[in-house]
Amino acid sequence: MSEHITHNAEQTEQIGADLGSRLKPGDFIALFGTMGTGKTTFINGVARGMGIVDAVSSPTFALIHEYAGNIPLYHFDMYRINSWDDLYSTGYFDYCESKGVIAVEWSENIEMALPPEFIKVELFAGQGFEERRILITEGNKFENTCC
Ligand SMILES: Nc1ncnc2c1ncn2[C@@H]1O[C@H](COP(=O)(O)OP(=O)(O)OP(=O)(O)O)[C@@H](O)[C@H]1O
Ligand SMILES: [Mg+2]
């Protein structure tokens, strides 16, 4: 597990870029953290670290954004997901077998559908307006999962 304290959005993005630069096809990043803690900012860095040039924006309305690269990135926002039907309708399960990287904001809402192994990224508000605490845990294993 690694812990990072950041003091502005650029630092959070850089932590994401460091992770992105060492991802492999099929890696799954589950992000946890409440509104405005920096999940989209972090994924923007992941994309940069993966060599993707498109700017990442929040998929809150589209629910999924795809970014082409050497390894493609599939970016989900599960903020509005609160049932299995909702989750199926995003196409989430079709992506689980893919050789891309999947990054999921609001993983709290789909905990029952996370894959057996994933990289957990937890973001917390810190002191003041711009401080964030980021915990990264790799190799999480869940039993009885279905992605
Ligand atoms: N240390 C920091 N790390 C990340 N973002 C920061 C930091 N300090 C300030 N910010 C600001 O906080 C906001 C984070 O927004 P972002 O869209 O990344 O959050 P989010 O967790 O994806 O929110 P949502 O749940 O609405 O999708 C941005 O406006 C960013 O500039
Ligand atoms: Mg977001």
Side-chain angles (χ1 to χ4, degrees):
M1 189 186 81
S2 63
E3 177 173 10
H4 311 266
I5 305 287
T6 67
H7 299 97
N8 54 51
E10 291 70 31
Q11 289 177 359
T12 295
E13 212 233 59
Q14 186 57 46
I15 308 285
D18 293 344
L19 176 62
S21 67
R22 55 191 178 79
L23 291 174
K24 303 179 302 300
D27 280 346
F28 189 109
I29 306 172
L31 293 105
F32 295 75
T34 53
M35 205 167 275
T37 45
K39 301 177 294 295
T40 302
T41 303
F42 186 95
I43 295 171
N44 208 351
V46 168
R48 176 162 64 82
M50 291 173 67
I52 290 169
V53 288
D54 295 359
V56 167
S57 57
S58 176
T60 299
F61 298 106
L63 298 177
I64 172 159
H65 281 177
E66 299 188 19
Y67 299 93
N70 267 347
I71 308 172
L73 171 65
Y74 305 115
H75 174 195
F76 286 87
D77 190 318
M78 300 303 189
Y79 180 62
R80 288 158 200 272
I81 301 301
N82 43 44
S83 71
W84 285 102
D85 280 352
D86 288 351
L87 186 54
Y88 274 108
S89 69
T90 67
Y92 172 76
F93 293 102
D94 302 329
Y95 288 90
C96 287
E97 299 296 315
S98 86
K99 294 286 171 245
V101 164
I102 297 178
V104 175
E105 297 192 38
W106 291 98
S107 289
E108 293 86 338
N109 290 352
I110 64 148
E111 225 160 355
M112 67 296 182
L114 291 174
E117 196 166 333
F118 58 91
I119 300 166
K120 184 176 195 177
V121 177
E122 296 167 279
L123 298 101
F124 304 93
Q127 292 181 345
F129 190 57
E130 292 200 300
E131 187 179 287
R132 303 287 189 275
R133 189 163 67 95
I134 303 170
L135 296 180
I136 302 178
T137 322
E138 305 196 29
N140 292 275
K141 290 209 194 306
F142 268 174
E143 286 174 25
N144 303 323
T145 52
C146 50
C147 182

